Amino acid sequence: MQDLKIYGISVSGITFSFLPDINPMLQTVVLILTIVYTVIGITQKLRK
């Protein structure tokens, strides 16, 4: 289930980056949060 959340957020970030009418700041925030969430998930898996 955790992997599904990570993939969903990643796909959302990529989708926002392809939409030209979306505010560039929103794109940046979404992509940064996606990267942070993915890194957190990876570090938690490595600790287990």
Side-chain angles (χ1 to χ4, degrees):
M1 188 65 178
Q2 186 72 15
D3 289 338
L4 186 59
K5 289 180 186 178
I6 294 172
Y7 294 137
I9 292 173
S10 298
V11 169
S12 299
I14 292 170
T15 303
F16 276 115
S17 70
F18 287 123
L19 297 174
D21 296 334
I22 300 295
N23 186 350
M25 286 300 289
L26 179 60
Q27 291 179 15
T28 305
V29 169
V30 169
L31 290 174
I32 289 172
L33 291 176
T34 301
I35 292 169
V36 169
Y37 189 77
T38 304
V39 169
I40 290 171
I42 290 170
T43 55
Q44 287 179 348
K45 285 184 180 183
L46 290 175
R47 289 183 184 172
K48 290 182 180 180

